[in-house]
Amino acid sequence: GPIVPDQTNSALPRNLTQAILQMGRWPAFDETLRALQETSPGAAQQLVNVAFARPDTALAANILMFLGALRGGELRTWIGDAPHRVLQRAKPDVLGRIREDFSKLSRVANEPVSGDWRAVPMPFLNGSEVDLIRLFLQRKGGDEDEKNIGSSPGIRFVIELDLSRLGRFQLDGLILKRDKRFDLIVRSEDR
């Protein structure tokens, strides 16, 4: 018969994701940034440069880096080597908390159910304010998706943003790793 996932284990990561999205804050990430600002401003700046999505030319690159790190479940890939080393040396308890949270978010993002949308929080630097945006993920194709047999497996993501100058817009992306293809559609309320 079909394997039924252990509800107690799968519920914990989803509860963390829902709590972060409802609060609009990610306490472990905030604590990580504060710890780096106190111990190594250079490493804190590197974290800001690589881990935050920003409304600039690096937006797509930052989103792809976050998705890659989520897919691999590897915190260091996302926050960078220098911030990881500083935390390991100066604040191992903070590193443990952010690593545990990131691992849970990764499990939600990588659940094997194809076709279901999942929301994952992603830090977003909006001017000098740190916001969390919802990154919606959906697996495409692969063995689990009977409707798309023969299609290249990949990930579709949607991000909705509301920026002061550009207004509301949406990024709708599709990443097909095997085909080495990245498609991006940008939708906006205001032409």
Side-chain angles (χ1 to χ4, degrees), residues 25-45:
R25 308 284 335 143
W26 183 355
F29 187 81
D30 294 342
E31 189 181 9
T32 299
L33 183 57
R34 268 195 313 274
L36 286 170
Q37 287 167 337
E38 290 167 9
T39 56
S40 174
Q45 189 57 50

Side-chain angles (χ1 to χ4, degrees), residues 25 47 50 52 63-64 69 71 81 88 92 95 123-124 128 140-141 145 157 162 165 167 174 185 187 191:
R25 308 284 335 143
L47 178 73
V50 300
F52 284 85
I63 292 168
L64 290 174
R71 190 162 175 81
D81 284 332
Q88 207 165 28
L95 179 63
F124 181 74
S128 60
K140 304 294 285 175
D145 194 346
F157 67 87
D162 195 353
R165 284 193 224 156
L174 176 63
I185 298 169
R187 297 184 189 90
R191 289 184 140 234

Side-chain angles (χ1 to χ4, degrees), residues 22 41 99 135 150 176 180:
Q22 284 172 0
R99 184 184 284 142
L135 175 63
L176 300 174
K180 295 185 175 143

